[in-house]
Amino acid sequence: MTPNSQWAADEIARLDDHRTRLERRLDELGPDDWDRPIRDGWTPKQMLAHLAFWEETTLPVVETIFRGGPELPADRWYGGDDLGPTDPWPDADTHNAREAAWATDQPVAVVIDRWRKAREQLRQLVATVTDDESRGDIGAHLANAREHAEQHLAEFAATD
């Protein structure tokens, strides 16, 4: 995967740095920590599923909305097992609650694997961004996705 622009190369480096730091935090969690609340009642499993979902959505947003391509079927980008109704597209709270519920009954390894796949999908998408795209809605949307993940990083170390 060769990045299409310097922006893409720099953004991939930021994503990789974040992944390294988050993986380190996840490695510090003991078996009992994964189901303990860390924020607003969410557990580390639920928070990781939340991050996975929002990273997964970058692909259809960029390819369909910003690049004008055909609508992508959910099985091409969604890593959960029930996206539910999408017309109209639910609000963020609905998505967040669905992903938290999904993660609750999943083994830790399944949740981690989903997030890793979502992150790799995000990296591959970022690599396609041109210099022109990086200065517009696509660059802003993808930078916001990375910043969202950054905002949650500290929470993984804050188990009660």
Side-chain angles (χ1 to χ4, degrees), residues 1-136:
M1 163 183 57
T2 303
N4 274 350
S5 65
Q6 186 59 50
W7 178 90
D10 292 345
E11 195 65 17
I12 289 169
R14 289 182 194 102
L15 286 167
D16 290 348
D17 175 64
H18 174 268
R19 178 181 175 153
T20 298
R21 290 181 291 129
L22 181 54
E23 294 266 6
R24 200 173 303 131
R25 295 255 171 106
L26 298 178
D27 287 344
E28 293 170 358
L29 294 174
D32 295 334
D33 294 332
W34 285 94
D35 292 311
R36 288 193 184 133
I38 57 173
R39 171 189 165 270
D40 296 339
W42 283 11
T43 67
K45 281 195 318 186
Q46 292 169 325
M47 180 65 73
L48 202 56
H50 162 83
L51 289 176
F53 173 76
W54 291 110
E55 290 187 11
E56 290 165 349
T57 64
T58 60
L59 182 63
V61 167
V62 169
E63 293 299 331
T64 303
I65 297 172
F66 295 135
R67 289 182 173 160
E71 186 173 335
L72 299 176
D75 64 357
R76 175 140 175 243
W77 60 270
Y78 181 59
D81 49 25
D82 183 15
L83 186 57
T86 58
D87 189 22
W89 188 251
D91 65 11
D93 290 339
T94 299
H95 288 298
N96 292 341
R98 181 195 60 245
E99 298 309 323
W102 173 85
T104 300
D105 296 327
Q106 298 296 320
V108 171
V110 169
V111 179
I112 292 172
D113 184 58
R114 178 181 175 193
W115 173 74
R116 285 177 177 154
K117 286 177 181 174
R119 177 55 59 99
E120 183 55 30
Q121 179 177 276
L122 176 58
R123 288 178 84 256
Q124 289 177 16
L125 178 61
V126 167
T128 70
V129 176
T130 65
D131 285 325
D132 285 343
E133 289 175 327
S134 73
R135 291 185 286 273

